Each structure stands twice: as structure tokens, then as C-alpha cells.
Amino acid sequence: MLRTVVVPVLVLLATSSCGNGGAPSPASSAKRAIALTQAQTLAREAYPQWAVRNVSADCPDLAELAEYVNRGTVDPWGRPYVIRCGAARPAGVEGIGVSSAGPDGKDDTDDDVRSW
């Protein structure tokens, strides 16, 4: 009898933790928070420092920005951040925009993480 009670409970726990109703997992939420912090740090802290020292240059690369903040150039999903400047800069963004393609790895989708 104990066995028939335990098995349905285990099955219920296993299926409810997988479905999760579309809510992000704590690990996914943590990765998004890290990506947002890194993207904003590159755009709002590293870029202004870079721009002061590179007045005649248009757009930095990731390695140049990383020198100013001791941060990596790869998002929590293992892909490099994307710098958007010049004509590629989003409307209303001053300086540069920095983005991550998020967990799906595809740019310009709902799961992207952006500095703006």
C-alpha cells in the first residue's frame, strides 16, 4: 500500500518540475541577470572610458571594451556579446548597445538580453 502512494507522488513531482508552466528556472533567471549586468557594464561603463581614449574611432570591439571593466566578452550561454553602434545602434540609444542572443542563440527574439 505504501508503494502505491509513493509512486504517484514521485511521478507528480517529476512532471510538475519539468513543466513549470513556462516559468523560467532559477538557473535561467540567474543567467539572464548575469547577461544583463555584463551587457550594461560594457555599454555604460566600459564604452565611455574607451570613447575618451579613442575619439576618432567609430566602434570598439569586445576585447577593447573588456580591458576597461575586467569582464568577459562571452554571455552565460557561451556566445560573444554583440555591439551595436553607428547605423546598427537602436533608436534612442546613446553611445553603443550591447546585446546577447539569450538562451535560444538567435538575435532579435523575445529572449534576447539588451543593455538598453
Side-chain angles (χ1 to χ4, degrees):
M1 181 126 168
L2 179 62
R3 194 172 206 196
T4 58
V5 172
V6 172
V7 172
V9 170
L10 290 175
V11 170
L12 176 63
L13 289 174
T15 57
S16 67
S17 67
C18 294
N20 211 10
S25 71
S28 175
S29 295
K31 284 183 175 185
R32 290 187 61 78
I34 291 167
L36 180 60
T37 299
Q38 289 178 334
Q40 289 178 338
T41 300
L42 289 167
R44 297 177 184 170
E45 294 177 29
Y47 174 73
Q49 293 176 56
W50 175 89
V52 167
R53 294 191 175 126
N54 297 278
V55 177
S56 62
D58 293 329
C59 191
D61 63 34
L62 283 171
E64 291 173 313
L65 290 181
E67 291 176 19
Y68 293 95
V69 290
N70 296 323
R71 297 270 176 152
T73 58
V74 177
D75 69 17
W77 298 279
R79 292 179 291 275
Y81 287 99
V82 175
I83 297 175
R84 298 170 191 249
C85 54
R89 184 177 58 205
V93 173
E94 293 185 28
I96 63 169
V98 178
S99 65
S100 160
D104 72 0
K106 299 175 186 172
D107 284 327
D108 299 320
T109 60
D110 289 339
D111 72 340
D112 290 4
V113 177
R114 300 175 179 103
S115 64
W116 61 93

